[in-house]
Amino acid sequence: MSTTDTIAIVRRVPDSIGSCELTHVDRTPIDLANAHRQHQHYVETLSALGCEIITLPPLHDHPDSVFVEDPAFVLDEIAFIARSGAESRRGEAETVADALAAHRRCHRIEAPACIDGGDVLLLGRTLYVGLSSRTNAEAHRQLRDVLEPMGYEVRSVPLHECLHLKTGATAIADDAVLFNPAWVPADVFEGLRRVECHPDEPFSGNVVRVGSTLVADSAWERTNRRLVDFGCDIAEVHLGELTKAEGSVTCSSIVFRRVD
Ligand code: CIR
């Protein structure tokens, strides 16, 4: 795939990010100006890798709205508009849905289901979906109803110590995964090539694939070295301020293939 065929949806950091949801990390002050600089560099990196950037309008009343990965997720054939397990985040979805409508048929996840895009990991034709504080079994059922007739397998992955599945595991190729075995058991990914996060860098299992390049946070030197040794090309960014909001590199964009 040429990266000119790739679209990235992003949204700027809201002024209210200091009031973000936090589940597994303690609240520490976020430097808004630094957060903007780091986010800008992240967007420039996606653009330099060939992504067409779609920037959504800012939502200052939604402290977590920079994390556009959660309100929707996109496959080649269809996009899903999520219903977050965090009530405070449900108002983020509409503008994401508006942007996606030009590119995909959109299917809405309906109550009582709830799901965040951060819990959805696609590898080949298998969709691994976290069962987390944000994503419930009813959402898994609705996904199976839509996706199994299209030839996808939907696999449930119970989670305990991390916010989303992709906090602890992301794709590094169609048949390879980077993961933290302390949070996501290795047998979930049986049959795939696997790279484990360095044990001292538990949050390092999160990279964004753009074409054949992985966008990775420079904070995770030891895991990034493992990726390079595995043969991956890496583009480094640093999102330290968004890490304080329990975000990581995948959360701040929706990267998908242009099919129109
Ligand atoms: C939240 O708790 O929803 C945000 N503070 C962090 C969301 C990060 N999103 C992601 O991992 N996909």
Side-chain angles (χ1 to χ4, degrees):
M1 176 180 60
S2 147
T3 53
T4 54
D5 297 330
T6 305
I7 298 172
I9 295 180
V10 299
R11 181 173 355 238
R12 63 175 289 182
V13 180
D15 296 346
S16 56
I17 189 161
S19 310
C20 64
E21 296 278 346
L22 290 176
T23 308
H24 296 280
V25 306
D26 293 331
R27 195 170 297 279
T28 50
I30 294 175
D31 178 332
L32 189 58
N34 200 25
H36 281 306
R37 274 192 296 276
Q38 293 177 345
H39 184 258
Q40 184 61 29
H41 179 239
Y42 170 82
V43 174
E44 285 166 7
T45 301
L46 294 176
S47 177
L49 289 171
C51 293
E52 176 193 330
I53 305 292
I54 298 176
T55 304
L56 300 177
L59 288 178
H60 293 295
D61 292 340
H62 289 85
D64 285 300
S65 54
V66 64
F67 301 122
V68 290
E69 170 176 68
D70 294 316
F73 44 98
V74 182
L75 310 186
D76 279 352
E77 304 87 346
I78 190 170
F80 289 89
I81 308 306
R83 178 175 179 273
S84 181
E87 223 176 313
S88 70
R89 299 204 56 190
R90 293 196 185 141
E92 299 170 28
E94 280 320 305
T95 46
V96 180
D98 290 346
L100 284 173
H103 298 281
R104 292 292 191 279
R105 170 165 75 90
C106 291
H107 181 96
R108 284 178 189 270
I109 298 294
E110 302 287 357
C114 56
I115 188 164
D116 276 0
D119 270 320
V120 178
L121 169 62
L122 180 68
L123 278 138
R125 300 294 286 182
T126 304
L127 203 68
Y128 297 84
V129 188
L131 267 173
S132 69
S133 58
R134 298 288 173 84
T135 298
N136 64 14
E138 172 60 16
H140 291 219
R141 196 192 61 69
Q142 291 184 18
L143 285 176
R144 282 195 182 96
D145 280 354
V146 176
L147 290 175
E148 284 181 354
M150 295 166 65
Y152 286 94
E153 182 191 350
V154 177
R155 268 192 217 174
S156 300
V157 183
L159 298 177
H160 302 289
E161 291 169 52
C162 59
L163 178 61
H164 291 124
L165 173 58
K166 276 186 284 193
T167 318
T170 43
I172 55 174
D174 285 345
D175 65 344
V177 66
L178 169 68
F179 73 108
N180 174 348
W183 289 344
V184 187
D187 60 2
V188 167
F189 301 117
E190 212 177 314
L192 295 173
R193 295 184 298 142
R194 290 171 274 186
V195 176
E196 293 191 4
C197 298
H198 191 283
D200 293 343
E201 297 179 344
F203 285 91
S204 62
N206 184 276
V207 293
V208 183
R209 271 179 87 192
V210 181
S212 58
T213 303
L214 303 178
V215 179
D217 198 307
S218 58
W220 316 128
E221 282 176 32
R222 285 170 280 196
T223 295
N224 291 349
R225 210 170 307 130
R226 289 184 177 188
L227 289 171
V228 171
D229 291 345
F230 189 71
C232 300
D233 288 329
I234 287 185
E236 287 193 331
V237 296
H238 183 51
L239 290 176
E241 297 301 326
L242 297 186
T243 305
K244 297 176 191 170
E246 216 167 345
S248 36
V249 288
T250 62
C251 323
S252 303
S253 59
I254 305 176
V255 174
F256 60 98
R257 197 199 311 249
R258 180 189 295 286
V259 294
D260 42 40

